[in-house]
Amino acid sequence: MPWSKIKPDTDELNYCHNGNCGGRQISYAQAVNEGLRQSLTLDERVFVMGQGVDDPSGMFGTTRGLQEEFGKKRVFDTPLAETALTGVANGAAIGGMRPVYFHNRPDFLLLAMDQLVNHASKWHFMFGGAVNVPLVLWACIGRGWGSAAQHSQALQGIFFHVPGLKLLMPSTCYDAKGLLLAAIKDDNPVLILDHRYNFKQKGMVPEDMYTVPIGKGIVRRPGRDVTIVAISHLVADAFMTAEKLAGQGVDVEVIDPRTLRPLDEALILNSVMKTGRLVIADTGWKTGGVTAEIAALVSSKAFRFLKAPIERVACPDLPTPAGYTLEDAYYIGQSDIKHAVMKTIDFER
């Protein structure tokens, strides 16, 4: 199934001003695969499970070759039984192992909500810090031709809501590896949501092991007029929009939170205090979602610095259509972000 045939392979944008430019150029899938391989090599407690982790495609290429290298006891396929198997992963984590549970789609995580929300995310608090669940769950948002309503949902708003669950959404190959390694080292449950569009890019990634700190965002492009907080692959759309608007005299700052929970509030607030205008772009639904929470944060803590109403760019509150033309109209991109930026610029009190 050509899940993402509508987007060609490409090199990552030039974010070198922030210093993450070392290493070799490899694909997004290779970056994740390298992080898994290094974790499996370094720590015998780490194992990888999930439907299709051993098939020829290797979960979009992220787990390719790992079973041949580390054996079926440490990298193994699982049936469609998400509730039961998340319970198995929880038990293994409580018992001292470090499971990494891969899912093709975040849609399937809804079947594991009991184990994930009622148990894994609460264990640390319920037992006063005496018991931890060092579990990593990974899922890929599958936007592309025909993915439709049950295989392409961006459910970060739902998981963003759960205390005790760390939520990561990388946008670059460098962060994909570094955040994965940080998640595996973390002593409590971490959910990584990747976007299928990220897998169409190649970027600079160091060969050595390194971690990207959970809870620390990054400025992808400095600017003075408008702040865009963009999530996952929309960071690239925001960056390209900013570059085009620079030619029109609008200087846009682009922030990539990298992790939604914990959220780097200081980075966002300091940027808004400088620019006075804010656009938030997320791949998920608008109502009750990520854009709403960040807008509430800024309204509460930096309202007096705002020169214009906060603009939110998110998908319509509708299930994703399957047809190509409807899907193309449903999703947001550069034109939507540009329109939102110009609304903040043109606003007059």
Side-chain angles (χ1 to χ4, degrees):
M1 179 68 74
W3 294 107
S4 52
K5 69 178 185 181
I6 57 175
K7 189 174 189 301
D9 292 340
T10 183
D11 293 338
E12 278 184 355
L13 298 170
N14 181 13
Y15 299 129
C16 286
H17 72 88
N18 58 39
N20 295 334
C21 297
R24 327 123 292 159
Q25 188 182 53
I26 60 176
S27 72
Y28 200 92
Q30 288 172 322
V32 176
N33 183 270
E34 188 168 82
L36 289 173
R37 175 173 285 102
Q38 291 175 339
S39 294
L40 286 161
T41 301
L42 183 69
D43 191 343
E44 292 186 350
R45 298 173 300 171
V46 176
F47 66 90
V48 178
M49 57 188 284
Q51 192 214 0
V53 299
D54 62 341
D55 71 22
S57 66
M59 194 70 79
F60 309 109
T62 58
T63 60
R64 187 174 292 149
L66 296 180
Q67 187 181 76
E68 290 82 353
E69 186 172 349
F70 296 97
K72 294 183 179 180
K73 290 185 177 180
R74 298 189 66 196
V75 181
F76 53 88
D77 185 35
T78 58
L80 288 169
E82 283 79 5
T83 299
L85 288 162
T86 305
V88 170
N90 283 351
I94 293 169
M97 301 297 285
R98 292 194 173 258
V100 185
Y101 190 178
F102 266 61
H103 295 263
N104 282 309
R105 301 280 185 264
D107 313 75
F108 304 140
L109 289 172
L110 296 177
L111 300 171
M113 291 295 272
D114 177 50
Q115 290 296 330
L116 186 57
V117 178
N118 283 333
H119 299 287
S121 62
K122 294 182 171 66
W123 232 245
H124 178 78
F125 301 98
M126 289 171 63
F127 292 93
V131 180
N132 298 92
V133 185
L135 166 66
V136 176
L137 290 104
W138 182 96
C140 187
I141 298 169
R143 174 184 175 180
W145 182 85
S147 296
Q150 294 176 312
H151 287 77
S152 59
Q153 297 175 94
L155 297 173
Q156 56 265 32
I158 292 175
F159 297 108
F160 195 20
H161 187 65
V162 181
L165 181 64
K166 295 183 177 71
L167 176 56
L168 319 183
M169 293 191 71
S171 71
T172 67
C173 300
Y174 180 93
D175 286 354
K177 177 180 173 180
L179 285 171
L180 172 66
L181 289 170
I184 293 173
K185 285 186 175 182
D186 199 282
D187 287 332
N188 285 297
V190 180
L191 172 60
I192 301 173
L193 294 180
D194 262 323
H195 199 285
R196 190 72 182 94
Y197 270 18
N198 291 341
F199 283 78
K200 308 303 292 182
Q201 63 196 35
K202 293 182 177 180
M204 301 302 289
V205 178
E207 191 170 354
D208 296 337
M209 291 187 76
Y210 64 92
T211 58
V212 171
I214 294 174
K216 290 293 182 184
I218 191 168
V219 176
R220 295 295 183 195
R221 184 187 189 281
R224 65 173 186 276
D225 297 327
V226 183
T227 298
I228 302 178
V229 177
I231 313 300
S232 187
H233 86 91
L234 289 176
V235 173
D237 279 342
F239 188 92
M240 288 186 283
T241 301
E243 291 291 294
K244 293 174 183 175
L245 287 173
Q248 302 176 30
V250 180
D251 194 13
V252 176
E253 180 152 296
V254 178
I255 287 180
D256 177 0
R258 304 199 284 198
T259 75
L260 292 179
R261 194 173 188 126
L263 182 67
D264 192 344
E265 294 185 6
L267 184 70
I268 296 170
L269 292 172
N270 287 335
S271 178
V272 173
M273 290 175 186
K274 178 177 64 175
T275 65
R277 301 178 179 88
L278 175 62
V279 173
I280 312 157
D282 178 42
T283 61
W285 293 307
K286 178 178 285 186
T287 301
V290 172
T291 63
E293 179 60 30
I294 295 175
L297 164 74
V298 173
S299 297
S300 173
K301 297 185 177 180
F303 182 77
R304 66 190 178 92
F305 295 94
L306 289 172
K307 302 173 184 173
I310 298 169
E311 292 295 326
R312 297 189 288 149
V313 181
C315 288
D317 291 333
L318 295 167
T320 312
Y324 174 78
T325 51
L326 288 175
E327 186 185 52
D328 196 42
Y330 174 84
Y331 283 115
I332 56 175
Q334 292 184 49
S335 61
D336 305 281
I337 295 172
K338 178 183 178 182
H339 178 70
V341 169
M342 294 313 297
K343 280 186 71 175
T344 68
I345 292 292
D346 295 337
F347 176 80
E348 295 182 2
R349 290 185 184 273

